Every structure is written in structure tokens, then in C-alpha cells.
Amino acid sequence: MLGRTYTDQNCSAARALELVGERWSLLIIRDAAFRGTTRFVDFQRNLGVASNILAARLNGFVAAGLMERRRDVPHHEYLLTDKGRELQPVIVALTHWGDRWSAPDGPPIVFEHAGCGGGLEQQIRCTVCGDIDKSAEISARPGPGAHR
């Protein structure tokens, strides 16, 4: 959806951005995941996105397996698949970052556990020794899918 592919890059982040990196994409996923929005008209009303852009994004999500279209009369519904729902932690992480760096009056929305009302906390953990304290402690190396 970015209008360009990254064929010269063997990068999962770049491939993910092809699906959800456009300005409206994560907002559409956010509304589906956390507001229960399913209908085209409701996405359009909530987000103020042009109908042609919304239609392109929703069709792209269906084609990519992030959403499925249920053809109920009189309106189609767009429902997140497991693949689409797995973007929830990405949206929570991006929101937490925005709360820290772009919300001078405090968080405009707070995510919580539906079961008990507790706040959410995300962590990156080392599978060997546990927590990682700083992003400086993270390095990258070629993985099994790297081009040789």
C-alpha cells in the first residue's frame, strides 16, 4: 500500500509496512480491534477518510488476509482475522510511544485488560536472561531467512 515494493530489501518490517504502513491503515485496524467497528460507513464516519481510500484499504486488508468481508444484507461487514488481530500489540505500543512523546495533556485513551480493568504494559524480554532495560541493549543479526 505504500506504492512501492521493497524487492531489494529482505526485511520483515518493510514487508509489514507494505500492508499497514499507509497513514489510514493502522487507524482502520485500531477502530476494528478496539472500537468494534465493522461497517464501511462507520469507519468513514469515525475516521473522516475519503470513501475511495477507505475502499482501497479495506479491499487490501481482505486480499492480505487481515480482514474478511462478511456479506450481510444490507451492509457488508469487515471483520479482523487472527492475522489482523495480531496487530493489536503494535497499536498499543505505538499509542504508548505517542502518549509519552506526543500527548502533552496526557493519554487521550487508555488501554486496559477487559477481564479485570488493569492497565497494559509491554515488555521486550530476552529468552535467555529475562528483561531488557534499554533499547541500546538490542542488536540485530542475520536470521534464517536472510539472503546469503
Side-chain angles (χ1 to χ4, degrees), residues 5-141:
T5 59
Y6 294 94
T7 55
D8 59 334
Q9 294 186 36
N10 186 20
C11 174
S12 296
R15 290 183 189 132
L17 288 173
E18 285 294 321
L19 297 176
V20 296
E22 186 274 333
R23 148 180 203 198
W24 293 107
S25 295
L26 286 179
L27 297 177
I28 294 166
I29 300 291
R30 176 204 64 193
D31 278 14
F34 297 108
R35 293 183 177 168
T37 306
T38 60
R39 294 180 34 208
F40 186 97
V41 67
D42 294 329
F43 284 113
Q44 191 172 27
R45 182 179 34 245
N46 293 346
L47 297 170
V49 59
S51 61
N52 62 323
I53 292 172
L54 178 58
R57 296 305 165 265
L58 290 171
N59 288 334
F61 292 160
V62 170
L66 297 171
M67 288 183 147
E68 62 184 18
R69 184 178 10 248
R70 188 185 318 161
R71 300 180 188 279
D72 289 343
V73 177
H75 302 286
H76 297 308
E77 288 191 321
Y78 295 87
L79 305 170
L80 289 174
T81 62
D82 289 342
K83 183 178 180 180
R85 278 187 294 280
E86 285 190 19
L87 286 166
Q88 285 179 314
V90 174
I91 295 168
V92 170
L94 186 61
T95 301
H96 284 166
W97 182 89
D99 290 345
R100 178 172 179 172
W101 297 105
S102 300
D105 297 325
I109 187 169
V110 177
F111 293 106
E112 60 184 31
H113 179 218
C116 72
L120 299 185
E121 182 179 283
Q122 290 184 308
Q123 295 178 340
I124 295 176
R125 296 186 51 83
C126 174
T127 60
V128 175
C129 65
D131 289 339
I132 295 176
D133 294 326
K134 302 177 209 80
S135 62
E137 294 180 11
I138 300 172
S139 63
R141 65 170 177 75

